Amino acid sequence: MKIGFIGTGVMGRSMAHHLLDADYQLNVYNRTKEKADSLVEKGAVWKDSPAEIATSSDLIFTIVGYPEDVEEVYFGEDGIFQNLTANKIVVDMTTSIPALAQKISEKAREKGAYALDAPVSGGDIGAKEGRLTVMVGGEKETFEKVRPIVENFSSELRFFGPAGSGQHTKMVNQIMVAGTMTGMIEMFAYAQKAGLNLEEVVKTVSGGAAQNRSLDNYGSRIIKEDYSPGFFVKHFVKDLKIALNESKAMNLELPATQQAFELYKTLEDKGHGDEGTQALIKLWWS
Amino acid sequence: MKIGFIGTGVMGRSMAHHLLDADYQLNVYNRTKEKADSLVEKGAVWKDSPAEIATSSDLIFTIVGYPEDVEEVYFGEDGIFQNLTANKIVVDMTTSIPALAQKISEKAREKGAYALDAPVSGGDIGAKEGRLTVMVGGEKETFEKVRPIVENFSSELRFFGPAGSGQHTKMVNQIMVAGTMTGMIEMFAYAQKAGLNLEEVVKTVSGGAAQNRSLDNYGSRIIKEDYSPGFFVKHFVKDLKIALNESKAMNLELPATQQAFELYKTLEDKGHGDEGTQALIKLWWS
């Protein structure tokens, strides 16, 4: 089986390397060609467009930046659907809009092909170590077919239901993270104003009811004022915007998530979109 | 050394039992006498007021409900300060106002006595198992004196600075928990509306960046619609109110914590104050 891989940024590149390491034949495409160099050196075959990837591959993974990029890669002039034929499988791993996942699924079905939405969580380190969490929507049979391949870069792979369910689950994850991030940042803002020793505070708080992974991952970085990105502010803003739009469509109010979105949007508007999400503390410490 | 214990509710009673188990001589007082029965049966001596506790004890622990109760227990007509004499030590473990901790500390100093503020975290289970987190403010020397005694019910005991610092640290803890609780509740609200399997969602989300102790503790209870209290809504409202008042006094805005407070206040106003904090989901699922 030939695998196509579209989107070889920080996340995609690591995932594609795991597939090469497992001896799969790989066709690759990326908007910025140089970001695929290390894969081509290892034996992947460069293709000049998503359409050519579709022609030359049986199973196609995509992981790009924004829903607009997903639209372009699938439905654009040189997009996947130009050349996708029956029985092929497409798997979009971009964090994107559930309705777009449904649209891709329907278009694939028209062509006798199959589609999954399979956004990931775990960041650059999870991708590098091959232990991403993957949340899948689509048809169960298709999921079972791609499972052994995805397991090359995932340690937690789970099926959630029809097309769009993977994206919905990723939104759920981001809503939870919005809570841990805003709580943690306001915690630091208060602790510093109250004159407390921040290292000591983190040690105490981490041991009890307030423990959370955001604090584990970012607590010491914030104390060192290290704002290098594990996860970009601009991507978190995108994700929360999708979550809130979806909520609105479901007649659901999420005031705490809305508040988190507004804080992160303010941070992005101030020019911090390319920093890590822990940079939210800059709204207080600037 | 004779120890006085004022406040034998769910938390205080377990803590006092650990002191009796360690063979300390204990004098006890509680507003509702019956709640001290199990301690008296085990050898504790009942006293009729905080003032009598002060007369008969060298070291006095207090853990009551609200800052008003702390005021009454220390400064009331039959309060501790009526009878507190030089060299005695008072330790308030109620989650209360930092300024009140400072006022108690000053009054103690006037009398040649010593005071610590030492609020706890870890809930009824932590108290029962003797592994509470204790956050201490006051004088370091006094802290060192009471440390071996507190260690009978604490596994994480830390000193944070002058009077009020223990309370400030507890506020920091509650600000963090406000984030994990609101994030988790909105996560469940979204997941259910999106038609996802909640058990599967919790399994996936718990394994990655969104992991947190609130989800570990309350996730399965929420799915079972079990709203029995680990920590009361009414006490969380009190704590967040203190945190926000303190923030305002420090010229600090905490919009996410403010949002959490408003949600919990709404829940309390609807009559759910005596349920557990996971009952916040009732604002969506009622």
Side-chain angles (χ1 to χ4, degrees):
Chain A
M1 182 196 315
K2 282 183 181 162
I3 298 177
F5 209 103
I6 296 171
T8 55
V10 176
M11 297 294 291
R13 192 161 58 245
S14 288
M15 293 151 80
H17 269 293
H18 285 292
L19 295 177
L20 285 175
D21 292 344
D23 284 335
Y24 285 103
Q25 282 188 276
L26 212 64
N27 300 311
V28 295
Y29 170 77
N30 192 58
R31 202 162 46 186
T32 309
K33 192 176 175 183
E34 301 74 55
K35 290 187 182 169
D37 282 353
S38 69
L39 294 163
V40 172
E41 280 161 28
K42 214 190 220 174
V45 178
W46 173 260
K47 299 288 171 183
D48 281 323
S49 70
E52 286 190 29
I53 291 277
T55 306
S56 57
S57 314
D58 307 300
L59 165 63
I60 300 153
F61 290 105
T62 56
I63 179 162
V64 294
Y66 293 84
E68 306 86 84
D69 303 318
V70 176
E71 279 272 2
E72 180 67 20
V73 159
Y74 280 89
F75 297 96
E77 215 176 305
D78 288 316
I80 289 170
F81 284 127
Q82 290 295 326
N83 292 346
L84 196 75
T85 51
N87 298 317
K88 296 196 174 188
I89 300 173
V90 293
V91 181
D92 185 30
M93 309 188 95
T94 317
T95 296
S96 173
I97 300 165
L100 179 52
Q102 287 157 7
K103 185 176 152 191
I104 291 170
S105 174
E106 279 157 29
K107 186 76 175 175
R109 197 178 303 126
E110 278 175 30
K111 294 179 171 288
Y114 306 95
L116 297 174
D117 51 301
V120 306
S121 153
D124 51 341
I125 296 167
K128 197 164 276 179
E129 297 178 353
R131 44 171 192 75
L132 290 169
T133 295
V134 183
M135 297 154 261
V136 184
E139 281 167 348
K140 190 83 192 272
E141 273 183 24
T142 311
F143 169 72
E144 294 300 345
K145 269 185 211 156
V146 305
R147 181 204 282 271
I149 295 157
V150 174
E151 280 174 348
N152 285 291
F153 50 79
S154 168
S155 57
E156 164 66 26
L157 175 58
R158 213 174 278 269
F159 180 78
F160 285 94
S165 301
Q167 295 298 348
H168 275 310
T169 306
K170 181 65 190 282
M171 290 304 118
V172 163
N173 190 77
Q174 300 306 71
I175 288 167
M176 184 67 252
V177 171
T180 60
M181 289 303 297
T182 52
M184 176 181 64
I185 295 300
E186 295 197 355
M187 175 198 116
F188 273 111
Y190 183 107
Q192 198 230 28
K193 273 275 193 187
L196 301 172
N197 179 309
L198 300 183
E199 280 92 352
E200 294 290 299
V201 162
V202 169
K203 281 182 206 158
T204 278
V205 167
S206 299
Q211 180 278 332
N212 66 90
R213 194 64 55 84
S214 293
L215 184 56
D216 296 346
N217 286 343
Y218 297 121
S220 61
R221 293 199 221 177
I222 288 170
I223 292 172
K224 286 182 286 190
E225 299 185 47
D226 169 6
Y227 304 119
S228 57
F231 185 56
F232 286 118
V233 167
K234 64 185 178 188
H235 287 158
F236 201 36
V237 169
K238 171 199 70 164
D239 294 358
L240 294 179
K241 185 77 193 160
I242 295 172
L244 291 166
N245 283 338
E246 291 297 317
S247 303
K248 198 180 288 178
M250 298 189 288
N251 266 321
L252 183 67
E253 278 187 62
L254 301 179
T257 307
Q258 178 71 39
Q259 182 60 68
F261 170 73
E262 281 161 23
L263 289 168
Y264 273 103
K265 187 70 176 64
T266 302
L267 185 68
E268 188 186 33
D269 290 346
K270 288 188 174 197
H272 301 293
D274 286 317
E275 295 181 53
T277 48
Q278 74 276 25
L280 187 60
I281 193 66
K282 288 187 170 183
L283 294 187
W284 283 266
W285 289 358
S286 63
Chain B
M1 183 195 314
K2 283 183 182 165
I3 297 177
F5 209 103
I6 297 171
T8 56
V10 176
M11 298 294 291
R13 190 161 58 244
S14 288
M15 293 151 79
H17 268 292
H18 284 293
L19 295 177
L20 284 175
D21 291 344
D23 284 334
Y24 285 101
Q25 281 188 276
L26 212 64
N27 300 312
V28 294
Y29 170 79
N30 191 58
R31 201 162 46 188
T32 310
K33 190 175 177 182
E34 300 76 54
K35 289 186 181 170
D37 282 353
S38 68
L39 294 164
V40 172
E41 281 162 26
K42 214 190 220 175
V45 178
W46 174 260
K47 297 287 170 183
D48 281 322
S49 70
E52 286 190 29
I53 291 278
T55 306
S56 56
S57 314
D58 308 298
L59 164 63
I60 300 154
F61 291 105
T62 56
I63 180 163
V64 293
Y66 293 85
E68 306 86 85
D69 303 318
V70 175
E71 279 273 1
E72 179 68 21
V73 159
Y74 280 88
F75 298 96
E77 214 175 308
D78 289 316
I80 289 170
F81 283 126
Q82 291 294 327
N83 292 347
L84 196 74
T85 50
N87 299 317
K88 297 196 174 189
I89 300 173
V90 293
V91 181
D92 184 32
M93 310 189 94
T94 317
T95 296
S96 174
I97 300 166
L100 179 52
Q102 287 156 7
K103 184 176 153 191
I104 290 170
S105 174
E106 279 156 31
K107 187 77 176 175
R109 196 177 305 127
E110 277 176 29
K111 294 180 172 286
Y114 304 96
L116 297 174
D117 51 303
V120 306
S121 154
D124 51 342
I125 296 168
K128 197 164 276 179
E129 296 178 353
R131 46 173 192 73
L132 290 169
T133 295
V134 183
M135 296 153 264
V136 183
E139 280 165 352
K140 191 83 193 274
E141 273 184 25
T142 311
F143 169 72
E144 294 301 344
K145 269 186 212 158
V146 305
R147 181 204 280 273
I149 296 157
V150 174
E151 279 174 347
N152 285 292
F153 51 78
S154 167
S155 58
E156 164 65 25
L157 174 59
R158 214 174 276 270
F159 180 77
F160 285 93
S165 301
Q167 296 297 349
H168 275 309
T169 305
K170 180 67 189 279
M171 290 303 119
V172 162
N173 190 79
Q174 300 306 71
I175 288 166
M176 184 67 252
V177 171
T180 61
M181 288 304 297
T182 52
M184 176 180 65
I185 295 302
E186 296 198 354
M187 175 198 115
F188 273 111
Y190 183 108
Q192 197 230 27
K193 272 274 192 184
L196 301 172
N197 179 308
L198 300 182
E199 279 92 352
E200 293 290 297
V201 163
V202 168
K203 279 182 207 160
T204 277
V205 167
S206 299
Q211 181 278 332
N212 66 89
R213 194 64 55 85
S214 292
L215 183 55
D216 297 345
N217 286 343
Y218 297 121
S220 62
R221 291 199 223 178
I222 289 170
I223 292 172
K224 285 182 287 189
E225 299 184 47
D226 168 6
Y227 304 119
S228 57
F231 184 57
F232 286 118
V233 166
K234 64 185 178 188
H235 287 158
F236 201 35
V237 168
K238 171 200 69 165
D239 293 358
L240 294 178
K241 185 78 194 157
I242 295 172
L244 290 166
N245 283 339
E246 291 297 315
S247 303
K248 196 179 289 177
M250 299 189 287
N251 265 320
L252 183 68
E253 278 187 61
L254 300 180
T257 308
Q258 178 70 39
Q259 182 59 68
F261 169 74
E262 282 162 23
L263 288 168
Y264 273 103
K265 186 73 175 65
T266 302
L267 185 68
E268 187 186 34
D269 290 346
K270 286 186 175 197
H272 301 293
D274 285 319
E275 296 181 51
T277 48
Q278 74 275 25
L280 186 60
I281 192 65
K282 288 187 171 181
L283 294 187
W284 283 267
W285 289 358
S286 63

